[in-house]
Amino acid sequence: MKYDLVIQNGKVVLEDKVIHSNIGIKDGKIADVFESDQFIADNVIDANNKYVMPGAIDTHTHFFEPGASYREDFEHGTKAAASGGFTCIMEMPNSNPAVVDLETFEMKRKFAEKGAVIDYALWGGATATNLDNLDILKNLGCIALKGFTLYAGTAFPYLNTEMQMDAMKKVKALNMILGFHAEDPVIVKTLTEKYQSQSWNLKIHDMSRPYYAELAAISQILLFSKETGCPVHICHLSIPEGAELISKAKQDNVNVTVESCSHYFLLNYEDYYQYDTYALIQPPIRSRRRMDNMWKYLMNGTIDYLATDHAPYTEEEKEPENGNKWDVMGGSPSIDVAFPMMFDETVIKRGMDPIQFVKLSSTNAAKRFGMYPRKGSICKGADADIVILNPNEPWIIDRSKSFSKSKNTKFPYQGRKVNCKVNTTLVRGNVVYNNGQITVDNGHGILIKP
Ligand SMILES: [Zn+2]
């Protein structure tokens, strides 16, 4: 066969082994994984013994388009994502307007179609006002549905306890997955009011949204999932107690998966206190002890996915003129740095098997959300969504150079040294990012349905 492209001489991470090999690509698909030096190809990339892995899939991304696209949009966000090894993102529905029906889905799809350089799937919203019409979102191709257990702004009415049960019955009947932002609304409201007379800081932020607010919400979701059989997904887990509970629920055959994010493994309110509102994220970054304990559940496979929860805000938003930090929105950018940072922290520093890392970064998400084997694996017939990562190329994170709209260097990872670097990212056989350059036009990405 004559290939369009061969990536040769790579340390290729397959699902069951890592082999020194070549990948032949034809018509955007992986046509072969082979060892011979004898081949014919239009183009060749020499991977030079670097890691060649399935492109990362982000289960949790915010690009704020439509709505607050001055923070981030599909064009800048996906370029940043491509530079950070992502080939597909699952974009969250709580934009403004939120994705809750045909009109709002189409609105977002058009923005994505115009701007995105990598592939994308769209979450739909399960809110207090659209539970009778979730079938519309399924038919449009939403990858899954997302609900909030507490106040999430007027554009996205949250699901109270009864609505969570109702939503699960309906989502189960539709054979979809229901994801949750899980924090108990009463605990958070009561404690926020209690502490609000004091000046805000990261420690008080954790006290106003304590670990047991998250644990209570997760516990209820697991209980309802067991009752209804609805497949659920816990978003951005921040607490080891939650991981322990989910681990037991999995043993009890509850249909649950869980994502967590780089900031819950790398940041805590003690060591990163001075980053103030720039490290304000919901759920909060926790104590050093909790952060350390989260690692056990990443290494032992309880946590299924490494997501980013990429959500940049501007300096004006993070440092409001009136000085009231209690009103500052939670969120921080990371889509361009999370993948290499976490490869460094897991595989390089803690000896995680690269096969397990790829499960966390790509394969598990593809399997759970119905994109596998098209995505999430280097195997014959799959989309050639590939990242080439050099494990021996130290660099220093500098947000001012990011492709993201957010170039504010006041961010917790500014100046951090990372030992490995994304060199090249391919989406469906096309190089979208190579050594600092985006190499495709806006709109190269396509919508991926389950
Ligand atoms: Zn989020």
Side-chain angles (χ1 to χ4, degrees):
M1 185 191 291
K2 180 169 174 267
Y3 301 111
D4 298 333
L5 172 67
V6 167
I7 300 172
Q8 69 173 173
N9 195 22
K11 205 182 278 177
V12 180
V13 183
L14 304 177
E15 281 185 64
D16 56 349
K17 57 184 181 232
V18 180
I19 53 169
H20 190 93
S21 190
N22 308 322
I23 299 173
I25 296 166
K26 177 93 183 158
D27 299 327
K29 304 273 186 193
I30 293 169
D32 249 319
V33 180
F34 62 94
E35 279 173 34
S36 165
D37 287 342
Q38 307 298 314
F39 58 81
I40 310 167
D42 288 339
N43 289 293
V44 177
I45 295 174
D46 187 354
N48 201 10
N49 210 27
K50 297 167 194 166
Y51 278 105
V52 177
M53 299 181 275
I57 297 173
D58 187 13
T59 53
H60 195 135
T61 317
H62 298 274
F63 287 156
F64 300 105
E65 197 177 35
S69 54
Y70 59 88
R71 294 176 191 145
E72 190 70 291
D73 59 17
F74 276 92
E75 179 197 336
H76 294 82
T78 56
K79 285 179 178 174
S83 74
F86 287 93
T87 53
C88 186
I89 52 110
M90 293 168 52
E91 215 271 343
M92 280 294 171
N94 46 324
S95 42
N96 194 2
V99 175
V100 290
D101 56 20
L102 170 67
E103 192 191 346
T104 48
F105 180 92
E106 281 302 311
M107 196 188 292
K108 177 165 288 186
R109 192 186 59 75
K110 281 179 191 150
F111 280 117
E113 191 176 71
K114 197 159 158 258
V117 300
I118 64 170
D119 289 351
Y120 49 90
L122 300 179
W123 285 81
T127 74
T129 52
N130 78 339
L131 293 184
D132 289 330
N133 300 304
L134 296 176
D135 56 316
I136 295 170
L137 295 173
K138 177 179 170 112
N139 294 334
L140 286 165
C142 284
I143 198 79
L145 299 171
K146 161 97 178 277
F148 279 78
T149 60
L150 81 173
Y151 182 75
T154 48
F156 205 97
Y158 77 96
L159 302 174
N160 68 27
T161 311
E162 165 54 25
M163 290 170 185
Q164 289 167 35
M165 187 63 149
D166 187 28
M168 281 198 208
K169 288 176 188 161
K170 286 169 173 155
V171 173
K172 158 83 178 162
L174 289 169
N175 197 22
M176 292 183 84
I177 297 164
L178 187 55
F180 277 102
H181 180 124
E183 286 180 282
D184 183 87
V186 178
I187 298 171
V188 169
K189 185 164 183 284
T190 307
L191 292 180
T192 301
E193 282 165 8
K194 177 179 169 183
Y195 291 117
Q196 222 157 16
S197 59
Q198 301 179 37
S199 65
W200 186 96
N201 61 50
L202 281 172
K203 181 153 193 266
I204 287 189
H205 181 50
D206 172 70
M207 287 158 69
S208 68
R209 304 175 78 117
Y211 81 94
Y212 59 86
E214 191 174 347
L215 193 62
I218 292 170
S219 169
Q220 182 170 285
I221 290 162
L222 295 174
L223 186 70
F224 288 180
S225 171
K226 188 172 162 69
E227 287 298 309
T228 58
C230 179
V232 292
H233 170 89
I234 305 297
C235 293
H236 42 50
L237 180 77
S238 75
I239 52 167
E241 295 88 343
E244 183 62 31
L245 202 63
I246 291 163
S247 168
K248 286 182 180 139
K250 283 181 172 179
Q251 286 164 29
D252 199 18
N253 292 319
V254 176
N255 193 338
V256 58
T257 57
V258 56
E259 70 184 28
S260 189
C261 316
S262 54
H263 36 267
Y264 300 122
F265 302 99
L266 304 180
L267 307 181
N268 60 74
Y269 64 70
E270 294 165 76
D271 298 324
Y272 286 80
Y273 187 82
Q274 72 276 18
Y275 286 90
D276 204 56
T277 51
Y278 289 97
L280 195 182
I281 298 166
Q282 316 293 24
I285 57 169
R286 305 295 185 179
S287 64
R288 193 186 297 126
R289 182 179 63 86
R290 283 210 166 79
M291 183 194 83
D292 287 344
N293 288 339
M294 282 291 283
W295 276 98
K296 173 182 158 193
Y297 299 97
L298 187 67
M299 299 301 284
N300 76 10
T302 300
I303 290 162
D304 299 279
Y305 325 102
L306 278 171
T308 70
D309 198 7
H310 176 80
Y313 288 84
T314 63
E315 190 158 341
E316 292 71 32
E317 289 171 315
K318 285 292 186 184
E319 298 180 57
E321 250 174 46
N322 67 11
N324 186 3
K325 296 178 188 172
W326 284 98
D327 292 339
V328 173
M329 299 286 285
S332 180
S334 61
I335 205 159
D336 43 355
V337 294
F339 175 83
M341 273 195 316
M342 289 309 285
F343 188 92
D344 188 17
E345 293 294 331
T346 56
V347 178
I348 296 175
K349 293 186 183 164
R350 288 174 176 81
M352 181 186 278
D353 189 328
I355 295 168
Q356 191 190 344
F357 179 80
V358 164
K359 284 187 177 133
L360 288 165
S361 66
S362 185
T363 317
N364 287 350
K367 285 185 172 168
R368 174 70 161 173
F369 294 97
M371 298 186 267
Y372 179 88
R374 180 178 178 189
K375 306 284 191 197
S377 178
I378 292 181
C379 62
K380 216 170 160 171
D383 282 357
D385 291 0
I386 290 167
V387 55
I388 303 174
L389 177 132
N390 186 347
N392 297 307
E393 189 175 344
W395 60 291
I396 304 290
I397 292 176
D398 179 3
R399 184 124 218 105
S400 67
K401 298 202 174 86
S402 176
F403 287 99
S404 166
K405 270 200 173 176
S406 164
K407 299 190 198 309
N408 192 336
T409 55
K410 293 179 191 170
F411 108 122
Y413 303 126
Q414 179 71 16
R416 187 186 180 92
K417 183 187 169 201
V418 183
N419 291 303
C420 54
K421 194 165 193 193
V422 171
N423 291 169
T424 308
T425 308
L426 293 90
V427 173
R428 284 172 284 108
N430 296 318
V431 175
V432 295
Y433 169 84
N434 189 42
N435 289 324
Q437 305 293 324
I438 296 293
T439 48
V440 290
D441 293 333
N442 299 347
H444 175 262
I446 59 169
L447 176 68
I448 303 297
K449 298 178 180 182

